[in-house]
Amino acid sequence: MDPISCTVLVLGGGPGGYVCAIRAAQLGLDTVLVESGPLGGTCLNVGCIPSKALIHAAEEFHLARRFAAGSPLGISTADPRIDVRKTMGWKDGIVSRLRGGVYSLLRRANVKVVGGTGVLRDGKTCVVSTDVGRQEITAEHIVIATGSESVPLPGMPFGGPVVSSTEALAFEGIPTRIVIVGGGYIGLELGTAYRKLGSEVTVVEAAERILPQYDAELTRRVMARLGKLGVEVLLNTRATSLDRSGPALRIERSDGREQLLPADRILVTVGRRPRLAGFGLEELDLRMNGGAIEIDDQCRTSMRNVWAIGDVTGEPMLEHRAVAQGEMVAEIIAGEKRSFDKVAMPAVCFTDPEIVSAGLSPDEARAAGYQIKVASFPFTANGRAMTLAADDGFVRIVARADNHVVLGLQAVGQGVSELSAGFALALEMGACLEDIAETIHVHPTLGECLREAALVALGHGLHA
Ligand code: FAD
Ligand code: NAD
């Protein structure tokens, strides 16, 4: 095959990589995207999208079962059933529709997509093994966007009953009993979904509380709900080995007690790590930061014109971070003056209830040396939350005591993920308490709680 030369070569077609490629092409740069698997990467194929589809289906089934048991809304159903193969088919349909969308966006933007595993030979050359032969590509700029992969437990590789999130998003039936190692994002999002679909679920978490990346005031509601749903959560507990005869997971409590947890599936969700193997990293001279490629505030690596974006650069491993980095890198290569100077990296955990956090928590703000005002407004005092039969939770606001500039916004409750855009906007625009208090918030909406929290912080709450 004739060698290709281009201005920008993006290695990896996940959300970071494909967005970078589209933006580069929009800006008139001759761009090639290399992807070994389906376009859309982890997020679209085995991450964000299929997991949220499954979470929604599980919630619908759970509701139908709750109605069968009697509901204050006066709705009754009889003996709801679920056909999991159909559910998985619906989820797969969403994934393939979105994947088709990515293909056509790239085509319309004039990005050349090369399918196959790319291996970098140096900071300018990539060799791709495609279905039809070996393709050499030289580029002025290389953007590494190879993403991340699930971390297995030592001595317990994935296979047989031990599965990662990828397999858990495509089970053919509903497992009778799942033990989940890791009470973080994936363990709790999928654990809650499978509990609602009817599995017995136990979560084994090494730390003293679930979701250690969020503060305890937020996670307490999720912990209480897990209890109500019948999910067993074992804190301060480590998985030690697999007993294949059962199968069962051997665990050790913090006091040294050992126990065997029988399970038909053991889902290991103890984090993800940057995908560094198989693309020729050893041929480059890149500075590393822990197990990730080190980047500066423009996503430059230690090699000239070699850039890295998304999960391969480490935490936080979030789709919207990868996308923002990808867009920025394309714009810098095209000559724009940009740097990654976001005030906030909002994050949502799609548990029940959902958690959203943007900016600093009260503890983080204090640790950063700020004198702060903190105020919360509960959904129990919000009409919309009541009409949704979802009044568990609150919105919290953290602001500087001196000039009232908002430093952080958090919420826990049903559907609060949709508040994240407003939270991030307020922080990026440098809003102060008065700006939020003087903005009209539509009634009746959950968003009114943000304004009410600002009013409480200003000392004149109306509905609290
Ligand atoms: P990836 O999406 O991992 O894409 C990397 C791509 O590079 C892959 O397609 C891979 O095939 C390709 N590649 C790697 N090496 C090569 C090579 N040598 N040659 C060619 N191609 C190569 N984040 C959120 O923000 N919200 C969520 O709700 C959320 N839910 C998640 C749920 C689950 C179950 C999982 C696993 C993750 C979730 N994430 C979520 C995280 C999110 O998926 C990642 O942060 C995001 O996909 C990172 O994008 P990326 O482009 O950096 O890498
Ligand atoms: P995580 O970091 O969220 O959670 C891992 C959990 O496992 C932690 O609570 C940790 O204390 C625990 N743990 C680690 N070793 C253990 C052991 N030996 N025994 C018991 N517990 C142990 O990781 P994850 O859930 O695998 O998710 C990976 C990444 O994917 C996340 O960091 C996030 O960036 C991304 N993700 C995001 C979303 C979202 O944005 N809603 C959803 C899913 C995944």
Side-chain angles (χ1 to χ4, degrees):
M1 290 164 89
D2 290 341
I4 302 176
S5 81
C6 61
T7 310
V8 183
L9 179 138
V10 182
L11 186 61
Y18 85 72
V19 166
C20 181
I22 290 175
R23 187 70 189 120
Q26 280 177 349
L27 291 163
L29 303 171
D30 184 14
T31 306
V32 174
L33 175 68
V34 178
E35 170 55 60
S36 57
L39 285 172
T42 304
C43 168
L44 178 45
N45 298 289
V46 292
C48 322
I49 297 300
S51 64
K52 271 72 229 181
L54 202 62
I55 288 167
H56 178 67
E59 176 61 20
E60 298 276 83
F61 182 55
H62 176 69
L63 263 183
R65 293 218 295 189
R66 237 178 53 197
F67 291 153
S71 150
L73 279 67
I75 304 169
S76 55
T77 53
D79 195 20
R81 303 284 173 95
I82 183 161
D83 177 343
V84 178
R85 284 184 47 200
K86 235 175 157 169
T87 310
M88 293 294 181
W90 168 75
K91 174 209 72 173
D92 294 341
I94 297 169
V95 170
S96 69
R97 236 166 68 206
L98 287 168
R99 204 190 289 139
V102 173
Y103 272 103
S104 51
L105 289 171
L106 287 161
R107 201 180 44 238
R108 263 187 276 152
N110 272 330
V111 174
K112 180 166 179 52
V113 178
V114 177
T117 300
V119 179
L120 299 175
R121 282 216 315 238
D122 53 44
K124 297 269 179 228
T125 323
C126 180
V127 175
V128 188
S129 337
T130 75
D131 285 345
V132 287
R134 182 177 173 280
Q135 174 73 67
E136 187 173 305
I137 307 169
T138 51
E140 282 172 41
H141 296 266
I142 287 183
V143 182
I144 302 172
T146 52
S148 63
E149 58 199 6
S150 306
V151 176
L153 284 170
M156 215 190 289
F158 293 118
V162 181
V163 296
S164 74
S165 54
T166 299
E167 294 76 39
L169 288 168
F171 285 152
E172 282 176 4
I174 296 170
T176 310
R177 194 162 162 64
I178 310 182
V179 171
I180 298 175
V181 187
Y185 275 101
I186 302 179
L188 295 183
E189 288 187 0
L190 294 187
T192 305
Y194 274 105
R195 178 67 194 136
K196 289 178 176 174
L197 290 169
S199 299
E200 291 291 320
V201 177
T202 299
V203 176
V204 174
E205 167 57 53
E208 60 184 14
R209 60 188 187 82
I210 55 167
L211 291 168
Q213 54 274 73
Y214 292 96
D215 65 84
E217 201 185 357
L218 299 170
T219 58
R220 199 172 296 134
R221 307 277 175 148
V222 177
M223 187 68 182
R225 181 79 177 124
L226 288 168
K228 276 197 190 140
L229 288 168
V231 175
E232 185 184 25
V233 181
L234 306 176
L235 300 173
N236 299 306
T237 305
R238 287 193 160 272
T240 51
S241 60
L242 175 70
D243 182 327
R244 288 195 180 272
S245 56
L249 182 74
R250 193 178 299 282
I251 57 164
E252 187 184 315
R253 306 290 195 111
S254 56
D255 59 9
R257 266 183 310 142
E258 286 207 341
Q259 195 181 333
L260 263 185
L261 299 176
D264 34 348
R265 300 291 184 154
I266 294 159
L267 169 58
V268 176
T269 59
V270 294
R272 293 179 63 82
R273 64 185 172 206
R275 193 182 285 119
L276 299 175
F279 70 84
L281 178 66
E282 53 291 348
E283 303 302 326
L284 307 180
D285 184 23
L286 295 185
R287 222 174 5 249
M288 304 299 289
N289 181 4
I293 297 179
E294 184 180 294
I295 50 167
D296 67 7
D297 64 354
Q298 292 187 311
C299 291
R300 291 178 196 272
T301 67
S302 52
M303 278 176 80
R304 199 174 136 76
N305 292 349
V306 176
W307 313 72
I309 57 173
D311 285 7
V312 75
T313 64
E315 295 286 348
M317 295 193 191
L318 297 172
E319 192 270 0
H320 38 280
R321 172 175 172 266
V323 166
Q325 290 178 325
E327 261 179 281
M328 179 193 72
V329 165
E331 290 172 6
I332 295 172
I333 293 174
E336 294 184 19
K337 282 202 163 53
R338 293 283 317 274
S339 67
F340 205 77
D341 56 357
K342 308 292 179 203
V343 175
M345 179 60 63
V348 168
C349 190
F350 292 83
T351 37
D352 177 3
E354 293 173 348
I355 298 178
V356 51
S357 179
L360 303 180
S361 70
D363 285 346
E364 287 165 345
R366 284 185 202 102
Y370 292 109
Q371 299 280 326
I372 55 170
K373 281 174 177 285
V374 182
S376 299
F377 190 83
F379 287 124
T380 44
N382 174 265
R384 182 61 178 147
M386 287 184 213
T387 63
L388 291 169
D391 62 2
D392 180 26
F394 58 87
V395 174
R396 187 177 68 194
I397 196 162
V398 183
R400 282 175 63 149
D402 53 357
N403 58 11
H404 295 181
V405 167
V406 179
L407 298 171
L409 291 162
Q410 293 86 28
V412 54
Q414 205 173 299
V416 296
S417 51
E418 294 302 330
L419 300 181
S420 61
F423 285 7
L425 188 64
L427 290 164
E428 291 297 334
M429 300 289 286
C432 60
L433 292 171
E434 289 78 358
D435 293 320
I436 293 175
E438 287 169 24
T439 299
I440 292 178
H441 287 66
V442 170
H443 177 74
T445 62
L446 299 180
E448 285 175 283
C449 293
L450 172 60
R451 189 173 106 81
E452 291 285 352
L455 290 175
V456 173
L458 290 167
H460 49 92
L462 287 171
H463 293 92

